[in-house]
Amino acid sequence: MKKGQIITGKICELKFPNKGILVCQEEDGKITKVTVKGTLPGQVVKAQVNKKRSGNCEARLLEVIEKSEMQSQEAKCPHFGDCGGCVYQDVPYEKQLELKASQVKTIIDEVCENYEFEGIIGSPESFEYRNKMEFSFGDEYKDGPLALGLHKKGSFHDIVSIKACKIVNDDYNVIVKAVLSYFKDMDVAFYHKMKHTGYLRHLLVRRTKKTEEIMIDLVTTSKWDECGQAATLSESDMLDGLKDKLLGLELNGKIAGILHTYNDSLSDVVQSDKTDILYGCDYIIESILGLNFKISPFSFFQTNSLGAEVLYEKARSYVGETKNKVIFDLYSGTGTIAQMLAPVAKRVTGVEIIEEAVEAAKINAALNGLDNCSFIAGDVLKVIDELTDKPDLIVLDPPRDGINPKALTKIIDFGVDRMVYISCKPTSLARDLVMLQERGYKVEKVCAVDMFPGTTHVETVALLSLKTNQPKLEVTMEVDSESNYTEEERVTYGKIKEYVRDKYGVNVHTSYIAQVKRMCGIDMGECYNKSKKDDAEVKQCPQEKVEYIKDALRYFCLI
């Protein structure tokens, strides 16, 4: 089997998150397993081999020749298949849950024995569940008319204009339609990522589930004077017109704030250089399990409010009795779990590396009248050495890639009787469970929770207890062919370089890859071979290559 070869066959199994396995018989009779992303068991597909190394073979999906039996319903969304968001809308929700539960159990079974798998808890709503969307301005095809929506499947430039997205309340669709119409009529240009010209970048919309408050934030560059004929109108007059148009819409919810954010960053991320309030306030209030949370435009908050209640209820049931106990909530985000446990606990300490999230946690704790919560901004690996309290139990809710092995060693050294681990990536959870078990913890229960219907994502909650009379062990974490790291977690700079070279025909330097990783928020640790000169010149990665490297990072599921 060679790179570029076209193959056809039936997908026989699905590995997390969406890696279909196709079995091919080569001319010499050798049986080869080929990974084809974005497929389902039972589908007959045509694919093109794009990677073959060390016995691993991957192919890019070209066509689904025959549907899977799982695809037994019509997708509700008219954008399904074009939009890169949902992938399971033509699969009944019960089947989606079965698929995700099976994947989680298979992953955990590989590293755990004699534990109770409690199956999966579905989201209270399988449609209209999201409370936040980031829409992008662009064109549906090169030099096409202005579009506002989500990225086309498999593309980082083309935009699918959204008219009837089904994972959000219809208020989102009404707002998107109005904003797109407004700027089309004015002939305002979108920001070209490669040329660094244009004005319109993103439209951020949040809508709370319980209070039905809506926040709308238009994200642009500061280059209004480059908007040609439209710029004959002042920017403030243009924004006033947009505000009036939005306030005149017939919506189910109530607009609490309309904002305008300037973002002149070269990278394609939604961030704020400066944010102005055009109407109302710059926050909305959501209620989760009886607690109120103040949500700003860029603060992290679970995107499925009702699903978050299910997730946190399960976590709380695993935590058990908290009366008069000291609790550590590590990787605490905006402190939702900490505040949920605080009312009956003696004291709760949250640690989170993102300073904005820590400030939000402090504000929300005060909003809820909780004075036994404290939140510390910093890396868990470093902050944990400075904590003077000895915890009675620990809650872990780390990012997708799990816990740094050095940090996990320090966490284990607290010797708490009980831990609850919440994970948004079960392969990372499985890797960390290996170390936890080797250091004396037993996995008691595991439960999957679906927060993202229609997608490949799933949350997992695990309860661990410390075995008695366990000797201390020194454990070294190494990555080898038998480890529980996924292929994405073993991605090397060489693989990223190869991907960019094969797809775009250009070479990218290691330093460029490192720059883009940092730009995307990927933890790079400390650079030990950097120049000793304080004024050493660092050559910046050209924007064109930034996009190529981001494409590779997305391909390997790092962003």
Side-chain angles (χ1 to χ4, degrees):
M1 189 172 293
K2 300 178 181 178
K3 287 178 67 174
Q5 182 177 337
I6 305 296
I7 58 176
T8 59
K10 191 171 186 177
I11 302 298
C12 59
E13 63 176 302
L14 186 69
K15 293 187 175 181
F16 180 85
N18 65 338
K19 299 176 183 177
I21 305 300
L22 184 154
V23 178
C24 282
Q25 185 171 5
E26 301 191 46
E27 292 180 0
D28 59 2
K30 181 182 177 182
I31 301 297
T32 301
K33 288 187 175 182
V34 183
T35 299
V36 186
K37 291 184 177 181
T39 55
L40 284 168
Q43 286 181 336
V44 178
V45 303
K46 179 190 288 185
Q48 183 176 37
V49 177
N50 60 0
K51 186 178 296 185
K52 187 177 183 184
R53 180 187 291 179
S54 304
N56 295 319
C57 193
E58 295 182 12
R60 179 171 60 89
L61 178 65
L62 298 177
E63 179 187 356
V64 176
I65 299 171
E66 185 179 316
K67 286 186 174 183
S68 165
E69 291 182 358
M70 291 182 177
Q71 298 171 279
S72 61
Q73 69 179 23
E74 288 293 322
K76 274 190 173 186
C77 183
H79 312 296
F80 179 70
D82 295 326
C83 168
C86 302
V87 294
Y88 291 154
Q89 274 201 16
D90 55 355
V91 178
Y93 190 50
E94 296 74 17
K95 285 289 183 184
Q96 293 181 37
L97 293 177
E98 289 176 14
L99 191 63
K100 293 182 181 185
S102 175
Q103 288 181 328
V104 171
K105 187 175 187 302
T106 298
I107 291 167
I108 303 302
D109 281 351
E110 290 177 355
V111 298
C112 297
E113 295 180 349
N114 303 319
Y115 74 99
E116 181 184 354
F117 182 67
E118 295 189 320
I120 188 167
I121 304 174
S123 170
E125 295 178 329
S126 56
F127 291 98
E128 297 190 19
Y129 60 84
R130 286 189 65 95
N131 58 37
K132 175 190 175 185
M133 291 292 278
E134 294 176 358
F135 299 104
S136 298
F137 287 95
D139 47 16
E140 295 199 17
Y141 52 89
K142 189 175 181 181
D143 299 325
L146 182 67
L148 174 59
L150 302 173
H151 284 276
K152 189 175 181 179
K153 188 175 183 180
S155 173
F156 303 110
H157 297 286
D158 298 341
I159 301 296
V160 178
S161 277
I162 297 301
K163 299 179 179 66
C165 179
K166 298 301 181 184
I167 60 173
V168 292
N169 185 277
D170 195 51
D171 283 351
Y172 288 80
N173 298 312
V174 174
I175 292 167
V176 167
K177 182 180 178 181
V179 172
L180 178 59
S181 171
Y182 183 77
F183 287 114
K184 268 189 173 181
D185 290 345
M186 296 187 66
D187 196 26
V188 179
F190 69 89
Y191 176 73
H192 290 262
K193 290 176 283 189
M194 306 302 287
K195 299 177 183 177
H196 312 309
T197 60
Y199 183 71
L200 301 168
R201 298 196 71 157
H202 298 95
L203 183 70
L204 172 65
V205 183
R206 287 185 183 263
R207 185 186 190 278
T208 57
K209 198 71 184 178
K210 300 289 184 66
T211 62
E212 297 187 325
E213 293 180 345
I214 300 170
M215 179 198 303
I216 304 167
D217 188 4
L218 176 70
V219 183
T220 73
T221 67
S222 59
K223 301 175 182 178
W224 174 250
D225 56 349
E226 297 180 7
C227 287
Q229 185 66 29
T232 57
L233 187 69
S234 71
E235 186 178 33
S236 61
D237 286 344
M238 176 276 294
L239 293 171
D240 282 341
L242 176 63
K243 176 189 69 176
D244 293 341
K245 188 176 183 72
L246 291 171
L247 292 175
L249 297 176
E250 292 187 11
L251 302 170
N252 299 314
K254 179 182 178 182
I255 295 178
I258 301 174
L259 314 176
H260 177 219
T261 291
Y262 290 103
N263 174 16
D264 285 321
S265 167
L266 294 180
S267 60
D268 188 28
V269 294
V270 182
Q271 65 182 43
S272 173
D273 296 337
K274 176 190 175 185
T275 297
D276 296 325
I277 300 174
L278 306 180
Y279 168 82
C281 53
D282 61 352
Y283 64 88
I284 50 180
I285 301 291
E286 180 64 296
S287 176
I288 300 287
L289 296 174
L291 296 173
N292 292 323
F293 295 91
K294 196 174 182 179
I295 306 169
S296 62
F298 302 103
S299 65
F300 171 80
F301 196 79
Q302 287 285 2
T303 55
N304 181 344
S305 298
L306 299 183
E309 291 191 323
V310 173
L311 177 69
Y312 295 145
E313 282 282 22
K314 173 52 68 175
R316 187 158 63 181
S317 73
Y318 278 7
V319 167
E321 178 61 53
T322 59
K323 188 175 182 180
N324 297 322
K325 289 187 176 180
V326 175
I327 302 170
F328 282 0
D329 178 11
L330 305 181
Y331 311 94
S332 56
T334 52
T336 312
I337 297 172
Q339 293 173 64
M340 180 186 68
L341 300 175
V344 291
K346 179 180 180 181
R347 188 163 51 257
V348 181
T349 299
V351 180
E352 168 59 48
I353 197 168
I354 300 173
E355 292 186 10
E356 294 85 350
V358 172
E359 290 307 309
K362 292 176 180 177
I363 291 170
N364 288 324
L367 183 66
N368 290 305
L370 300 171
D371 58 6
N372 62 336
C373 285
S374 60
F375 297 96
I376 302 170
D379 186 347
V380 168
L381 175 61
K382 298 174 181 177
V383 171
I384 211 167
D385 294 327
E386 303 167 6
L387 299 175
T388 55
D389 277 340
K390 185 181 186 306
D392 297 301
L393 62 91
I394 295 175
V395 177
L396 304 166
D397 189 5
R400 279 176 54 82
D401 288 333
I403 303 173
N404 180 310
K406 292 180 180 179
L408 189 54
T409 296
K410 294 181 179 183
I411 292 167
I412 291 169
D413 286 342
F414 280 115
V416 297
D417 291 333
R418 181 179 291 244
M419 286 191 205
V420 175
Y421 192 135
I422 302 170
S423 171
C424 57
K425 188 178 180 184
T427 48
S428 298
L429 170 63
R431 183 200 66 214
D432 291 343
L433 289 180
V434 171
M435 187 179 195
L436 284 158
Q437 290 175 110
E438 288 176 338
R439 290 288 304 274
Y441 280 89
K442 181 183 186 311
V443 178
E444 300 283 356
K445 297 178 182 180
V446 173
C447 184
V449 179
D450 186 25
M451 298 275 286
F452 312 101
T455 76
T456 60
H457 305 294
V458 62
E459 298 272 340
T460 310
V461 188
L463 169 63
L464 300 99
S465 63
L466 182 64
K467 299 176 186 175
T468 56
N469 302 320
Q470 287 294 317
K472 286 194 173 182
L473 302 174
E474 292 297 327
V475 179
T476 301
M477 298 285 284
E478 295 182 352
V479 180
D480 57 36
S481 59
E482 299 300 318
S483 78
N484 289 294
Y485 283 85
T486 64
E487 189 65 29
E488 288 83 3
E489 291 164 335
R490 290 196 289 262
V491 175
T492 63
Y493 281 80
K495 288 183 178 181
I496 294 172
K497 289 180 180 180
E498 180 186 25
Y499 177 90
V500 173
R501 185 169 57 249
D502 288 349
K503 185 168 181 179
Y504 297 104
V506 299
N507 294 317
V508 290
H509 195 273
T510 300
S511 66
Y512 287 173
I513 298 173
Q515 286 176 34
V516 177
K517 279 188 169 184
R518 290 191 180 94
M519 188 186 301
C520 296
I522 299 172
D523 183 13
M524 298 292 297
E526 185 174 350
C527 180
Y528 292 100
N529 63 347
K530 63 184 178 183
S531 174
K532 305 302 182 193
K533 298 178 180 179
D534 293 336
D535 59 348
E537 182 180 353
V538 179
K539 190 174 181 181
Q540 295 301 304
C541 180
Q543 184 60 27
E544 184 178 70
K545 291 187 177 182
V546 168
E547 299 302 326
Y548 296 162
I549 295 168
K550 281 186 177 181
D551 183 10
L553 297 179
R554 291 187 182 97
Y555 176 80
F556 290 116
C557 301
L558 294 178
I559 59 173

